[in-house]
Amino acid sequence: MKKTEVSCIFLITLIVFIKNSLLSEATSAPNSVLDTTGKMIRVESDYMVVPVRKDLGGDLGLAFIGTQVCPLGIGPRLNNDSGLSINFFPVNSKKGVIRESIDLNVEFTETYTICQHHSNVWRLDHYNPQKEDHMITNGGVKGNPGRDTISNWFKIVKYGVGYKFVFCPSVCNYCDVICKNVGVFVQNNGQTLLTLSNEPLEVRFKKV
């Protein structure tokens, strides 16, 4: 067999292998999370988190938990006030698109004048896998997946006409974790706050 024929066969084989690999990856990849216009949500782009239930308030932002100052809780703004935009940072930072059921960090992009010593990254406050009731607050750590950051990882899952946040981190294979929806509870002052719950909060994502 001539050298040119061998080269052609090798090239064709390589092209078929790459094509099949790409098709396999595309087939196995989770669905992309979509914004309110039907476009794919992308890493480090700004979005507002909009509750589907309008009676809960406006877009998500930071809020006081009872009378404590820090950390701050997270929930729909009262009186339909404008919320805070967020970025998503998946565990695999090389992926430019946010996909369902993938571990990710959630971070408010705007600086808040209160609790400046706390980051804007979402986390479970005082995480304890033996305890089911946890508030979602600011003060988390972005990146560095593993045992020390287990409380900072959330997932987005399709739910109803929108999506829901879920806490069920898979960034630590040997860690004892809990898996639960992110829902809400209402404080005495009427402020709704995010917490782990059996009943999820249905949300949509609006591009800023």
Side-chain angles (χ1 to χ4, degrees), residues 53 56 75-76 182-186 192-197 199-201:
R53 282 183 54 186
L56 295 177
V182 174
V184 297
F185 86 99
V186 182
T192 301
L193 295 174
L194 299 192
T195 184
L196 295 191
S197 171
E199 184 68 25
L201 172 66

Side-chain angles (χ1 to χ4, degrees), residues 32-41 98 163 204-205:
S32 300
V33 179
L34 306 179
D35 65 17
T36 53
T37 66
K39 295 181 179 179
M40 293 185 294
I41 290 181
I98 302 300
Y163 296 90
R204 303 185 72 186
F205 305 106

Side-chain angles (χ1 to χ4, degrees), residues 112-173:
Y112 208 63
T113 56
I114 303 173
C115 288
Q116 291 188 359
H117 58 290
H118 283 67
S119 75
N120 285 333
V121 179
W122 293 17
R123 67 166 181 171
L124 292 193
D125 192 35
H126 299 105
Y127 176 64
N128 180 348
Q130 306 305 320
K131 176 185 174 185
E132 293 194 356
D133 296 327
H134 290 84
M135 297 288 301
I136 287 84
T137 68
N138 66 341
V141 176
K142 185 168 61 179
N144 299 316
R147 179 180 179 180
D148 294 337
T149 64
I150 197 73
S151 63
N152 307 313
W153 298 95
F154 298 86
K155 297 178 179 180
I156 299 173
V157 178
K158 182 65 180 173
Y159 179 74
V161 299
Y163 296 90
K164 64 179 180 178
F165 286 103
V166 173
F167 181 82
C168 190
S170 50
V171 296
C172 179
N173 294 330

Side-chain angles (χ1 to χ4, degrees), residues 35-142:
D35 65 17
T36 53
T37 66
K39 295 181 179 179
M40 293 185 294
I41 290 181
R42 299 193 172 276
V43 176
E44 297 188 40
S45 293
D46 293 354
Y47 297 89
M48 306 299 288
V49 183
V50 185
V52 172
R53 282 183 54 186
K54 300 305 179 185
D55 60 308
L56 295 177
D59 304 335
L60 295 194
L62 293 166
F64 290 113
I65 303 173
T67 58
Q68 76 177 33
V69 178
C70 295
L72 293 169
I74 297 167
R77 287 294 182 89
L78 292 175
N79 303 317
N80 290 316
D81 290 341
S82 178
L84 300 175
S85 59
I86 62 169
N87 286 166
F88 297 112
F89 299 90
V91 64
N92 185 346
S93 60
K94 295 181 180 179
K95 301 295 184 182
V97 174
I98 302 300
R99 298 188 180 278
E100 295 179 31
S101 302
I102 297 298
D103 290 289
L104 50 79
N105 298 132
V106 185
E107 181 180 32
F108 286 118
T109 61
E110 302 171 47
T111 302
Y112 208 63
T113 56
I114 303 173
C115 288
Q116 291 188 359
H117 58 290
H118 283 67
S119 75
N120 285 333
V121 179
W122 293 17
R123 67 166 181 171
L124 292 193
D125 192 35
H126 299 105
Y127 176 64
N128 180 348
Q130 306 305 320
K131 176 185 174 185
E132 293 194 356
D133 296 327
H134 290 84
M135 297 288 301
I136 287 84
T137 68
N138 66 341
V141 176
K142 185 168 61 179

